[in-house]
Amino acid sequence: MEVGFTGKEVYQQHFSPKDYLSMHLPFGSGSAPGCEALFSFVLEKLHQAFLLSSIQGDTLIDIGSGPSIYQLLSACESFKEIIASDFLEQNREEMQKWLKKDPEAFDWSPIVKYVCQLEGNREKWVEKEEKLRRTVKQVLKCDVTLANPFHPLVVPPADCVLSTLCLEAACQDLPTYRSAVRNVGSLVKPGGHLVFAVVTEETFYMVGPHRFSCLYLTKDRVEEAVKEAGFCIRWFEMVEAHLPPEITDVHHVAVLVAQKQC
């Protein structure tokens, strides 16, 4: 068991993308019970945000992509260019494996098929994968605790910034979290959108044998941080999470859409 809040060094040494994907992503033989319902909710809300609510534009930045591509499957229909990012080199390498069709890459096809089903044609999943590969133009290193998360690079403000299940794992206290929301929000153009998927009332989650910390958040705390960063919340929807207590103590997962004030 790790002592104290798990910081950057612990992630660099012990976070295994393959263990994370096998344990936490749905539709796999080793995934934890309850993952399918949780991720189905997130995928449905991202479909709602990008296709039904018409959040679209030229560029979307995904902050804290992890080794995952599920969060981009709806977004690639609404944006010409996606910039993915993560702090960990091993996560960026895992994403690149999928982008380059490495035979060892994680098999995302069940989740891709699910999103295609939401869009009305489950059989277009191969086309969807190719479209996402074309749309992801860069996979960059990011650190949400920096005023410019891409330092020393300067990335032009985007029409939308997306972040799923990231900031609560990267921030050890509320002041750091509020600062991180401001840092991420600074990447959004005036009038652009911020889309968060967050977990609430969680303090830890497991990846393989390793325990990782999570900042205990509530709906009010998330809303306050987003408003302080200069955004108006358009909608915020939550669902109860029912995952094994030995894997995580998460209570809810939520998806929030906010618009930057001009």
Side-chain angles (χ1 to χ4, degrees):
M1 182 180 293
E2 308 294 349
V3 177
F5 197 91
T6 46
K8 300 174 185 178
E9 296 79 10
V10 175
Y11 271 88
Q12 288 171 325
Q13 293 174 17
H14 298 299
F15 189 91
S16 164
K18 291 189 182 300
D19 285 348
Y20 171 78
L21 293 171
S22 65
M23 287 180 67
H24 292 276
L25 270 291
F27 311 116
S29 59
S31 62
C35 283
E36 186 167 336
L38 186 152
F39 275 92
S40 295
F41 170 80
V42 173
L43 293 169
E44 288 163 12
K45 293 303 156 186
L46 294 178
H47 171 74
Q48 177 182 336
F50 294 120
L51 296 178
L52 303 184
S53 299
S54 299
I55 295 175
Q56 57 190 323
D58 292 326
T59 304
L60 176 140
I61 296 173
D62 185 33
I63 293 289
S65 306
S68 304
I69 59 96
Y70 70 88
Q71 70 278 12
L72 304 175
L73 291 167
S74 293
C76 74
E77 302 293 340
S78 298
F79 292 88
K80 298 175 183 176
E81 174 180 318
I82 291 174
I83 299 172
S85 66
D86 198 76
F87 178 74
L88 294 179
E89 181 179 0
Q90 60 262 42
N91 282 344
R92 300 194 302 274
E93 288 177 351
E94 187 67 31
M95 178 179 279
Q96 290 283 14
K97 284 182 181 179
W98 184 84
L99 291 171
K100 295 176 181 178
K101 298 185 180 180
D102 188 310
E104 296 184 358
F106 185 76
D107 179 14
W108 288 98
S109 60
I111 294 179
V112 180
K113 290 174 183 176
Y114 181 82
V115 173
C116 289
Q117 184 173 316
L118 292 176
E119 295 174 4
N121 185 359
R122 183 180 175 87
E123 300 308 314
K124 70 169 189 175
W125 68 273
V126 174
E127 177 186 334
K128 165 77 81 174
E129 288 192 338
E130 291 309 307
K131 184 166 189 175
L132 180 54
R133 289 187 174 102
R134 291 194 304 271
T135 307
V136 176
K137 304 298 186 184
Q138 299 179 80
V139 181
L140 302 178
K141 181 177 182 178
C142 72
D143 184 342
V144 299
T145 66
L146 301 178
N148 169 15
F150 294 114
H151 179 81
L153 297 178
V154 176
V155 176
D159 300 290
C160 181
V161 168
L162 169 67
S163 187
T164 57
L165 314 180
C166 169
L167 271 62
E168 54 269 46
C171 300
Q172 65 178 349
D173 54 38
L174 281 173
T176 305
Y177 178 77
R178 288 193 290 266
S179 177
V181 174
R182 288 195 300 272
N183 298 341
V184 170
S186 71
L187 300 170
V188 182
K189 292 178 180 178
H193 289 86
L194 187 68
V195 180
F196 279 170
V198 302
V199 288
T200 64
E201 300 176 67
E202 181 183 50
T203 65
F204 82 95
Y205 66 101
M206 301 296 295
V207 176
H210 298 286
R211 181 184 177 107
F212 291 90
S213 306
C214 189
L215 177 64
Y216 186 94
L217 292 173
T218 63
K219 181 175 185 287
D220 289 345
R221 289 173 176 178
V222 175
E223 288 182 330
E224 288 169 5
V226 170
K227 290 175 182 176
E228 286 176 6
F231 290 82
C232 295
I233 296 172
R234 289 180 55 183
W235 50 267
F236 191 132
E237 297 190 27
M238 304 178 69
V239 68
E240 286 189 22
H242 299 284
L243 297 176
E246 64 271 18
I247 299 296
T248 176
D249 60 353
V250 61
H251 283 209
H252 296 86
V253 64
V255 175
L256 170 151
V257 171
Q259 188 167 18
K260 193 167 192 175
Q261 297 170 336
C262 299

